Amino acid sequence: MVINNELARNILRAVFEEAEGMGLNPITAVVADAGGHPIALERADGANPGGVDIVRNKAYAAVMMRLGGTRMRELCEQTTWFLSSAQQVCGGRIFPVPGAIVIRDPDGVLIGGLGVTGDTPENDAAAGKAALERFGLVAEI
């Protein structure tokens, strides 16, 4: 399974619906392919202007590290060298906070990344996870 434009746009629509249903602040979200390349990106009216760069780095980090943002944050807190090493390997594009989501197909194969920002990191991750689950995808937050 791969993420094509249609699926990426449908995922974004679902993320925005989840965020609205949760009453979140205006969000920005991006879906990236298994190489970390953005496929579709959307920014809500009134969303943080820096959100575009944040979500691109969240999705990229999730794919490159094969870890969700929650786990990346834990590793940064537990291991002082993790972030500096990861930043060096990934050209400074690691954003180790929730809202960086690994997307796996039902068989567990990594097929992309989702970046969500605009509210608390935990709420960003929850909206993204709920959206991906609508499509039978596995979200590692």
Side-chain angles (χ1 to χ4, degrees):
M1 174 181 218
V2 296
I3 298 177
N4 60 22
N5 279 324
E6 181 181 1
L7 179 56
R9 290 170 195 260
N10 287 335
I11 289 169
L12 286 183
R13 187 174 310 114
V15 172
F16 277 78
E17 288 171 0
E18 292 291 338
E20 183 178 337
M22 294 169 64
L24 302 188
N25 292 325
I27 65 164
T28 302
V30 66
V31 175
D33 64 17
H37 306 288
I39 299 172
L41 184 145
E42 187 170 340
R43 180 178 169 267
D45 292 339
N48 177 347
V52 170
D53 291 328
I54 291 169
V55 295
R56 285 195 315 232
N57 288 332
K58 281 184 173 185
Y60 180 82
V63 171
M64 292 300 118
M65 300 305 296
R66 307 291 203 253
L67 297 168
T70 302
R71 182 66 183 131
M72 278 189 272
R73 181 175 64 186
E74 290 169 356
L75 287 170
C76 289
E77 291 169 351
Q78 296 168 1
T79 312
T80 57
W81 52 264
F82 176 79
L83 183 58
S84 62
S85 299
Q87 290 288 25
Q88 185 175 16
V89 169
C90 294
R93 296 184 59 193
I94 300 299
F95 207 87
V97 296
I101 303 167
V102 175
I103 305 171
R104 294 188 184 276
D105 71 12
D107 295 323
V109 176
L110 186 141
I111 59 171
L114 172 63
V116 182
T117 194
D119 206 88
T120 67
E122 289 73 21
N123 285 343
D124 296 338
K129 183 177 190 298
L132 291 170
E133 288 174 348
R134 289 188 190 186
F135 300 95
L137 299 171
V138 178
E140 293 179 13
I141 60 168

